[in-house]
Amino acid sequence: MRAVFFDFGSVTRGDMDCTALERAVSPWQYHHDSTEAEVLERIREAEVVVSNKVFIGREAIAAAKRLKLICVAATGYNNVDLIAAAENNVPVCNVRGYATPSVVEHVFMLMLNMARHFSDYQALVKRGGWQESQFFCPLDFPVIELSGKTLGIIGYGELGHAVAQVAQAFGMQVLIAEHKGKIPRAGRMAFDEVLRQADFITLHCPLSPDTQHLISRRELELMKPSAYLINTARGGLVNEADLLTCLSSGTIAGAATDVVQGEPPDHDQPLLRQQPANLIITPHIAWASRESRQRLLDQLGGNIRNFFQNEPFNQITDALNSTPD
């Protein structure tokens, strides 16, 4: 049974154990990456295909007469034409919960960096600023504590829950945002009110037509001037032009993002081109711990095995009509 991984290079540098995949199905073709034309060629005889970010569109699905299963090596599945897959009776599955510890740690790494100006103080030491200081402790950059601060969480699935638990361990007050424009459910607060009250806002919702530019100038202007925005979800959740404007004007104190619109970005990407001092950017690595990537491959193997054994396999069933939490 022929299986193809279109962009294996996106999850490994030779440091992963593929036993779970090999036990589920064989033989495998592992491709470092695939162009659109290569996808069309490589999918034709495949029965199982895996993609992390490579797009699998209608033409490719129609060309794959033996295709039985499409596996997304991620939680988000906007790289697969789900309508075409359904029309051709090809189920699609994803992986879930594999990156939670890695992403949560990254969120707090960004949060602590903004609160304590770690990178700024490290740069100060490297350029000799500590050695030239009049006092034992240079206070060039403000340092604040997370304890006692308010964290607003937008998107309260598995990641949002895990972030909330760690925030409480830091002594933070946690506010859970209701969907924008909706009446708050028990335990949640109106979307706009969370923006007004939070010292830190962290995004953990999927990108969809409903969440595209969820945070734009209007939302940023609701936030405190001392507040910070963190995005480890998807770049399209934030209007980048509005974010740059609000960072330069002091509308908010700062932001940190692990994602941008269009990845990998080109040299003209607005956030990367301007990079204001109160913006931290990391290159979509929140998910990428070695342990997280291994869990991803193991879960992929489990999905494929379960599919062929007629057991549950993380099938995306109502994706077109579902509402992200």
Side-chain angles (χ1 to χ4, degrees), residues 213-247:
H213 289 179
L214 182 71
I215 303 296
S216 294
R217 185 163 186 165
R218 171 192 171 275
E219 289 73 33
L220 293 166
E221 289 179 345
L222 290 175
M223 295 170 62
K224 300 177 183 178
S226 58
Y228 297 87
L229 175 70
I230 302 166
N231 184 11
T232 55
R234 289 290 183 268
L237 296 174
V238 178
N239 183 312
E240 294 177 346
D242 289 353
L243 177 61
L244 285 169
T245 297
C246 291
L247 288 172

Side-chain angles (χ1 to χ4, degrees), residues 284-300:
H284 206 143
I285 57 167
W287 73 282
S289 70
R290 183 184 61 79
E291 296 87 347
S292 171
R293 290 180 287 120
Q294 188 62 59
R295 287 190 294 267
L296 180 149
L297 293 183
D298 291 347
Q299 192 176 140
L300 278 173

Side-chain angles (χ1 to χ4, degrees), residues 1-6 25 28 39-51 55-72 80-82 84-93 304 307-308:
M1 185 168 297
R2 186 173 177 183
V4 179
F5 202 133
F6 290 127
V25 65
W28 278 90
V39 168
L40 275 172
E41 180 59 31
R42 292 167 179 172
I43 201 172
R44 289 187 188 279
E45 301 301 319
E47 294 173 81
V48 176
V49 295
V50 179
S51 172
F55 185 68
I56 303 176
R58 175 174 293 276
E59 184 179 2
I61 294 170
K65 303 303 183 184
R66 301 176 61 188
L67 189 60
K68 292 181 172 65
L69 178 66
I70 297 172
C71 301
V72 181
V80 177
D81 187 328
L82 297 176
E87 289 173 355
N88 287 271
N89 296 313
V90 179
V92 181
C93 63
I304 297 168
F307 169 74
F308 286 108

Side-chain angles (χ1 to χ4, degrees), residues 185-200:
R185 289 167 280 177
R188 305 206 179 196
M189 180 178 286
F191 184 89
D192 286 359
E193 194 58 33
V194 170
L195 293 174
R196 292 188 181 98
Q197 292 192 26
D199 299 298
F200 295 87

